[in-house]
Amino acid sequence: MITQIMAATVGSLGFAIFLKMKGKQIALAGLGGAVTWAVCLLCQQYAEGNFIPYFVASIFVAVYAEIMARVNKAPATIFLTAAAVPLIPGGSLYYTMAGLVNGDEIMLEESGSAVVTIALAIALGFVVVSIITRYMRAITGKKA
C-alpha cells in the first residue's frame, strides 16, 4: 500500500512538472495524487467492484483541486489533472487493447468493462463536484 501511494505521488509530481506547474503547486499536486490514491485504496477495502472507490476518490480529488485553486489563485484544472493521474486505469486499458488485438474476447470483455466502469466513475465524480461548486457560486453571487 505504501509503495502504491509513493508511486502515485511520483506520477502526480511528474505530471505536474510536465504541465509546467511552479513551486509549491508541484508539491501540492503530488500530495493530492498521494491522498487521492490512498482514498481509493481505502474505499476498495470496504466496497466491492471499481465504481464506488473510483467515484469517491474522484470526488475527493475534484474538491481538493477546487480548494487548491482558491488557495493558490490558479485554475482548478491544473491541480485536478495532475492529482487525478493515479486514477487512470492504465493496466486495464492495456489489457483491453491486448484482448482486442489478440482476439481474446474474455480478456477484452473483463478489462473493457473495468475501464468503462472506472471512466464513468471518474467522470461522474468530477461532474458532481463541478455542479455543486457552480451552484454554490450562484447562491453566494460570486463569479466563476
Side-chain angles (χ1 to χ4, degrees), residues 5-77:
I5 294 172
M6 288 172 45
T9 304
V10 171
S12 291
L13 287 172
F15 216 82
I17 293 167
F18 178 75
L19 291 173
K20 299 187 184 335
M21 294 172 76
K22 303 288 185 214
K24 70 177 183 177
Q25 292 177 346
I26 294 172
L28 291 171
L31 176 65
V35 178
T36 297
W37 190 243
V39 167
C40 189
L41 290 175
L42 185 65
C43 289
Q44 285 177 344
Q45 293 180 1
Y46 297 103
E48 289 187 34
N50 288 323
F51 187 83
I52 298 297
Y54 282 87
F55 178 65
V56 171
S58 68
I59 287 175
F60 169 80
V61 74
V63 170
Y64 179 82
E66 290 289 339
I67 292 169
M68 290 300 108
R70 304 297 177 279
V71 169
N72 291 284
K73 294 180 174 62
T77 307

Side-chain angles (χ1 to χ4, degrees), residues 86-133:
L87 298 178
I88 297 170
S92 296
L93 281 170
Y94 173 81
Y95 289 115
T96 299
M97 291 308 297
L100 181 66
V101 170
N102 296 327
D104 187 344
E105 292 179 16
I106 295 171
M107 181 189 297
L108 175 63
E109 183 181 330
E110 289 175 1
S111 300
S113 65
V115 168
V116 170
T117 301
I118 292 169
L120 288 174
I122 293 170
L124 186 60
F126 290 172
V127 167
V128 165
V129 172
S130 178
I131 290 170
I132 291 170
T133 303

